[in-house]
């Protein structure tokens, strides 16, 4: 009897160890390597640029301080504001393709006004259209997956997202979810206030206050602006900028001009406050 108990205990411990090992490997495969979105041949952008935006841990900024110091005046990056580890896991490449591969997503052209919309199966977008941005390609010829999400179809995913808790008075949040290749992004535009969080990858941000409209062409990509305009800006026309990574949330106030540049294949979600 004693031999059987010891034998069963050892078998149970061995099985538990194997299960835990598989879970750790799965976690590494779906979170630590960019959720499976980063490919060995991927041409990620190396330069993250400077960061001249305040970066604060949740513990160092109360909701009241956020309202008084940032909500209506300037952007801020908040670190550790929420724990979206589970959402990050669900947003791995293998998980999203398995759950949403056959569903239709709406793509927009990556120019300031996003004139053209194209509907394609999510799997087709990932396999054929999710690729690095060419410097020569215009924004009107670049299809970008962000916003235009069918909330009903994506509701089960969004239900696992923990949104930033610091809302503005009399506002609610609306989600926009996106996935984009390295070098892609949206050129300068403005709208209401909101948050942007990177789930996998890295996203570089450029921002100007409402009364300082940047010099840009609405049909040129952010990559083109970064290459051909940014290096020659006089100091007084330099933007606020920073690159955010998973676990970091950028808040932008109302009517602030902003442009984005994905440095890797990046999965991200914004919470627009209105």
């Amino acid at each position: 009897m004693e031999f059987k108990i010891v034998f069963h205990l050892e078998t149970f411990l061995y099985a538990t160890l194997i299960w835990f090992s598989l879970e750790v490997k799965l976690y590494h495969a779906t979170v630590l390597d960019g959720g499976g979105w980063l490919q060995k041949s991927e041409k990620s952008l190396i330069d993250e640029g400077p960061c001249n935006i305040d970066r604060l841990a949740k513990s160092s900024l109360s909701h009241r301080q956020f309202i008084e110091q940032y909500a209506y005046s300037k952007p801020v990056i908040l670190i550790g504001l929420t724990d979206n580890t589970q959402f990050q896991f669900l947003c791995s490449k293998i998980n999203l393709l398995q759950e949403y591969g056959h569903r239709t997503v709406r793509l927009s052209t990556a120019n300031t006004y996003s004139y053209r919309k194209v509907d394609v199966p999510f799997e087709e977008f990932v396999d054929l259209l999710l690729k690095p941005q060419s410097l020569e390609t215009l924004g009107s010829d670049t299809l970008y997956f962000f916003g235009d999400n069918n909330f009903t179809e994506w509701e089960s995913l969004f239900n696992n997202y923990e949104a930033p808790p610091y809302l503005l008075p009399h506002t609610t949040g609306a989600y926009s979810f996106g996935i984009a290749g390295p070098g892609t992004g949206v050129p300068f535009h403005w709208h209401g206030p909101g948050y942007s969080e990177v789930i996998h990858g890295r996203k570089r941000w450029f921002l100007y206050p409402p009364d300082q409209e940047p010099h840009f062409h609405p049909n040129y990509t952010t990559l083109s602006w970064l290459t051909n305009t940014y290096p020659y800006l006089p100091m007084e026309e330099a933007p606020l900028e920073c690159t955010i990574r998973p676990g970091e949330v950028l808040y932008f106030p109302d009517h602030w001009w902003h442009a984005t540049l994905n440095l890797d294949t990046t999965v991200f979600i914004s919470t627009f406050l209105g």
Side-chain angles (χ1 to χ4, degrees):
M1 177 64 70
E2 182 178 347
F3 171 77
K4 288 184 178 180
I5 293 175
V6 172
F7 177 78
H8 288 310
L9 180 60
E10 289 180 347
T11 303
F12 170 76
L13 292 175
Y14 178 75
T16 301
L17 182 62
I18 294 296
W19 175 83
F20 179 75
S21 176
L22 290 173
E23 286 290 304
V24 170
K25 289 180 179 179
L26 184 60
Y27 176 80
H28 278 260
T30 56
V31 174
L32 299 185
D33 73 341
W37 294 103
L38 301 181
Q39 305 299 319
K40 292 182 179 179
S41 60
E42 179 169 298
K43 297 180 180 178
S44 297
L45 302 182
I46 303 301
D47 187 11
E48 294 191 353
C51 184
N52 53 13
I53 299 174
D54 291 347
R55 300 166 62 96
L56 301 171
K58 176 185 177 181
S59 58
S60 63
L61 186 73
S62 67
H63 189 186
R64 180 176 178 178
Q65 290 171 321
F66 166 75
I67 295 293
E68 293 175 348
Q69 299 175 27
Y70 296 100
Y72 305 104
S73 58
K74 59 182 178 179
V76 62
I77 295 169
L78 301 172
I79 303 169
L81 191 61
T82 55
D83 181 5
N84 275 304
T85 304
Q86 176 65 15
F87 186 73
Q88 189 180 43
F89 176 79
L90 294 174
C91 288
S92 69
K93 184 176 182 179
I94 188 172
N95 285 338
L96 287 183
L97 282 174
Q98 182 176 348
E99 183 67 26
Y100 300 100
H102 66 285
R103 303 191 189 188
T104 299
V105 294
R106 175 159 292 177
L107 311 180
S108 302
T109 50
N111 49 354
T112 294
Y113 305 110
S114 299
Y115 293 111
R116 187 162 62 98
K117 308 286 185 181
V118 177
D119 292 341
V120 299
F122 179 64
E123 186 174 26
E124 180 179 327
F125 162 71
V126 172
D127 291 342
L128 301 179
L129 300 173
L130 184 61
K131 55 188 179 181
Q133 174 74 53
S134 168
L135 184 60
E136 295 76 26
T137 304
L138 293 174
S140 56
D141 296 323
T142 302
L143 292 174
Y144 198 66
F145 173 42
F146 177 59
D148 290 315
N149 309 124
N150 184 323
F151 186 85
T152 302
E153 289 197 355
W154 293 79
E155 183 178 10
S156 60
L157 178 66
F158 294 159
N159 283 341
N160 289 278
Y161 178 64
E162 185 179 350
Y166 295 167
L167 297 180
L168 305 185
H170 313 296
T171 66
T172 57
Y175 299 145
S176 284
F177 178 74
I179 305 170
T184 63
V186 178
F188 283 104
H189 62 287
W190 59 265
H191 45 66
Y195 293 95
S196 177
E197 180 170 357
V198 167
I199 306 303
H200 295 293
R202 296 169 298 155
K203 183 183 287 287
R204 188 172 173 182
W205 279 75
F206 307 92
L207 302 103
Y208 288 93
D211 60 353
Q212 189 179 351
E213 182 175 351
H215 298 289
F216 72 100
H217 189 291
N219 202 29
Y220 289 175
T221 63
T222 303
L223 183 62
S224 174
W225 177 86
L226 179 68
T227 304
N228 300 316
T229 302
Y230 175 87
Y232 309 105
L233 291 173
M235 185 175 298
E236 63 272 16
E237 293 184 19
L240 288 178
E241 61 176 296
C242 201
T243 293
I244 61 172
R245 293 169 169 268
E248 299 178 338
V249 178
L250 182 140
Y251 169 79
F252 49 88
D254 189 21
H255 280 70
W256 272 65
W257 291 94
H258 56 279
T260 59
L261 181 71
N262 299 294
L263 302 186
D264 314 299
T265 297
T266 304
V267 182
F268 50 97
I269 186 169
S270 292
T271 305
F272 295 112
L273 303 179

